Amino acid sequence: MLGGWDIAFLLLQLWVSIVAGLILLPAMFGVSLGFTDIYIKGLLKTLEWATLRIQRGQKEKPNVPQQLANGIIEKEDSPTSMEEEIGELRRSHPKNLAEGNFTLCDAFYFCKKGIENIVEDQVTQRFSSEELASWNLLTRTNNNFRYISVRLTIIWGLGVFIRYCVLLPLRITLAVIGLSWLVTGTTLVGLLPGCRMKNWLSDLVHITCYRICARGLSATIHYHNKENRPKKGGICVANHTSPIDIVILANDGCYAMVGQIHGGLMGVIQRSMVRSCPHVWFERSEMKDRHAVAKRLQDHIADKTKLPILIFPEGTCINNTSVMMFKKGSFEIGGTIYPVAIKYDPRFGDAFWNSAKYNMVSYILRMMTSWAIVCNVWYLPPMTLQDGEDAVHFANRVKSAIANQGGLVDLSWDGGLKREKVKESFKEEQQKMYSSMIVGLDCHETSVGPA
């Protein structure tokens, strides 16, 4: 008769066999056995049933809370200019804008805009979780919908059990294996002399690790236009939603990472990675020296045998609805830019990292207890600086291309505003636009763009 330790050992053997045979080996060879696709399809049908059940429950029980809309201020789909809105306010006055007179009703325009931005501005709402049209059986979008019916309550409870008691242990196991493989593999490869074999082994170790980590999140990634994938000696720029953006992109190719040197576990990973591949890590003091950073990056892209650099020009995470201002530094160093648009499906989990609300450990726990990570990645045609174009306009052109492809809102605001005050140049722009209307000048000639 088997004892307790024997049963535990058999269960451990079964667990290791499942993880190794059904997940690790297929991930190492980039093969999918189809289990994730079946899981996603089953999950979609469950979420659709839950949505229909909630809608029916809301009709049967008027006291059930309604799903909140995306925003509390109703705005026009096509925004109008300052001149058009003030002209509408002056419609009852005989004098118009062309005569260059100030009227007291002009102040209502600025009061209206001020109140709108206090209640719901375009910046701060980009740093909170994206609202969903229906409940996805996760607590984040739960308005007590699980109490509508007994069946819905059972499904919700079963989902909690699956996510925390089945998926979470499996995903932690895969994450530990993936990171251990990365540290061990890159350290061993780093002992080899520089040659083509070392580069090939380094790429193999990196991409295998990222594939294992992606399986650990039940990631389903759809890559489009693979013929435009970044090439060596180039710069890959993408919109930034989450730290796992790196895992998503590195599943389909290897990149040289750029970032600040850290301590602790992250420092161990960085030191091991740089032994096998020329990643670009900076000391904290170097990050403040723009010329030193630019020189390091220029030296990297000048060598066409090195991996493309991966940069997120927004400098912060945005909530999967928009693209905010790209810092111009990445576009000043020359070279070919390879734009990439990333768009997550929020129905399966919130990929956005709100660093002001969650630390890294809490965020990773949220990711590992979500249903899955489903996203689309579009590789856009390479872009270069045009004649007579400066770095700011080049960055805006790339940003607009990414926003249009990913179905994201193209915003000119700096993502750093979530930690900083509004620059004086933004205030001066509005003042100059209005004064140019009053004195009868062309506002486009006198206004200045965002710094």
Side-chain angles (χ1 to χ4, degrees):
M1 185 175 179
L2 295 177
W5 286 108
D6 294 329
I7 295 175
F9 183 71
L10 288 175
L11 291 176
L12 180 62
Q13 280 186 316
L14 178 62
W15 180 260
V16 172
S17 300
I18 292 174
V19 171
L22 300 181
I23 300 177
L24 287 182
L25 290 178
M28 292 176 67
F29 294 100
V31 176
S32 174
L33 300 180
F35 293 113
T36 302
D37 294 336
I38 296 174
Y39 167 69
I40 293 297
K41 290 179 181 178
L43 188 57
L44 271 176
K45 291 185 178 296
T46 304
L47 296 179
E48 290 172 359
W49 173 84
T51 300
L52 294 175
R53 187 64 189 85
I54 290 170
Q55 292 173 350
R56 191 173 67 185
Q58 289 173 334
K59 294 178 181 178
E60 297 173 353
K61 302 177 182 180
N63 59 335
V64 172
Q66 300 290 326
Q67 185 71 30
L68 295 176
N70 292 339
I72 58 178
I73 295 180
E74 184 177 351
K75 298 181 180 179
E76 297 180 3
D77 294 333
S78 55
T80 55
S81 66
M82 176 189 293
E83 186 173 355
E84 290 173 337
E85 292 198 37
I86 292 181
E88 182 67 20
L89 287 172
R90 293 184 175 191
R91 66 184 182 276
S92 59
H93 290 256
K95 296 182 180 181
N96 54 36
L97 287 174
E99 296 177 349
N101 293 310
F102 168 80
T103 58
L104 187 61
C105 66
D106 294 353
F108 289 108
Y109 167 80
F110 297 101
C111 291
K112 173 176 175 286
K113 290 296 181 182
I115 293 173
E116 283 184 355
N117 288 324
I118 289 172
V119 175
E120 187 181 72
D121 67 272
Q122 287 186 322
V123 177
T124 54
Q125 62 177 309
R126 309 301 169 181
F127 304 112
S128 58
S129 295
E130 180 181 5
E131 290 292 338
L132 301 181
S134 61
W135 187 36
N136 61 357
L137 302 179
L138 295 175
T139 306
R140 180 176 69 83
T141 50
N142 170 28
N143 287 338
N144 292 326
F145 289 140
R146 59 182 181 274
Y147 301 123
I148 286 181
S149 71
V150 175
R151 281 188 295 174
L152 191 60
T153 302
I154 293 173
I155 293 295
W156 175 79
L158 182 61
V160 172
F161 174 80
I162 292 174
R163 289 188 293 111
Y164 282 89
C165 299
V166 179
L167 294 180
L168 180 59
L170 176 62
R171 290 169 175 175
I172 291 176
T173 302
L174 292 174
V176 171
I177 293 173
L179 293 178
S180 301
W181 170 253
L182 177 64
V183 174
T184 305
T186 51
T187 301
L188 293 176
V189 172
L191 300 176
L192 299 175
C195 59
R196 295 179 62 182
M197 177 61 72
K198 178 180 179 180
N199 294 335
W200 179 81
L201 287 174
S202 175
D203 292 350
L204 179 63
V205 169
H206 278 85
I207 201 166
T208 300
C209 162
Y210 290 123
R211 284 173 176 171
I212 293 173
C213 291
R215 299 294 172 94
L217 295 172
S218 303
T220 299
I221 313 168
H222 305 286
Y223 297 99
H224 308 275
N225 308 323
K226 287 192 174 185
E227 66 276 8
N228 296 324
R229 280 188 295 188
K231 295 179 174 57
K232 292 184 176 181
I235 303 173
C236 174
V237 298
N239 57 299
H240 198 22
T241 303
S242 159
I244 64 175
D245 292 341
I246 297 173
V247 176
I248 299 300
L249 293 177
N251 260 262
D252 195 43
C254 294
Y255 297 89
M257 308 300 173
V258 179
Q260 180 180 312
I261 296 177
H262 295 274
L265 176 60
M266 182 62 70
V268 173
I269 296 174
Q270 287 181 316
R271 289 191 294 272
S272 62
M273 289 173 64
V274 81
R275 291 190 182 102
S276 64
C277 178
H279 298 283
V280 186
W281 305 128
F282 296 96
E283 296 287 352
R284 181 183 294 271
S285 57
E286 290 182 290
M287 293 294 291
K288 298 179 181 180
D289 188 345
R290 291 183 56 190
H291 297 290
V293 172
K295 182 65 169 60
R296 291 273 305 275
L297 297 179
Q298 286 173 343
D299 291 343
H300 184 100
I301 64 174
D303 188 345
K304 300 305 178 183
T305 64
K306 292 184 177 180
L307 295 174
I309 295 175
L310 176 58
I311 297 178
F312 301 104
E314 288 169 299
T316 189
C317 294
I318 312 299
N319 72 347
N320 195 45
T321 63
S322 315
V323 182
M324 303 190 78
M325 187 181 78
F326 279 7
K327 305 293 191 297
K328 65 178 182 178
S330 308
F331 303 87
E332 291 178 324
I333 60 179
T336 303
I337 299 293
Y338 294 89
V340 176
I342 306 173
K343 176 67 175 178
Y344 292 90
D345 191 333
R347 292 175 297 177
F348 303 97
D350 181 21
F352 168 60
W353 181 32
N354 186 351
S355 56
K357 188 175 181 180
Y358 301 104
N359 58 33
M360 181 59 75
V361 175
S362 299
Y363 171 74
I364 292 175
L365 180 62
R366 282 169 58 86
M367 288 297 93
M368 289 188 171
T369 54
S370 294
W371 291 118
I373 297 296
V374 179
C375 69
N376 286 278
V377 176
W378 292 272
Y379 297 110
L380 280 66
M383 304 172 70
T384 55
L385 189 68
Q386 297 178 346
D387 294 337
E389 186 178 42
D390 60 17
V392 174
H393 288 88
F394 184 27
N396 289 334
R397 182 160 59 92
V398 173
K399 176 169 67 74
S400 297
I402 290 175
N404 291 334
Q405 181 63 76
L408 303 165
V409 180
D410 186 1
L411 298 175
S412 60
W413 297 102
D414 185 357
L417 287 174
K418 72 176 183 179
R419 300 184 182 91
E420 302 172 358
K421 293 183 179 181
V422 178
K423 295 180 179 179
E424 290 297 324
S425 58
F426 288 127
K427 302 176 184 178
E428 293 173 0
E429 179 183 4
Q430 300 298 315
Q431 294 169 351
K432 289 187 177 182
M433 287 177 63
Y434 180 68
S435 63
S436 65
M437 290 162 48
I438 295 298
V439 299
L441 298 177
D442 186 356
C443 64
H444 295 290
E445 296 179 358
T446 57
S447 64
V448 295

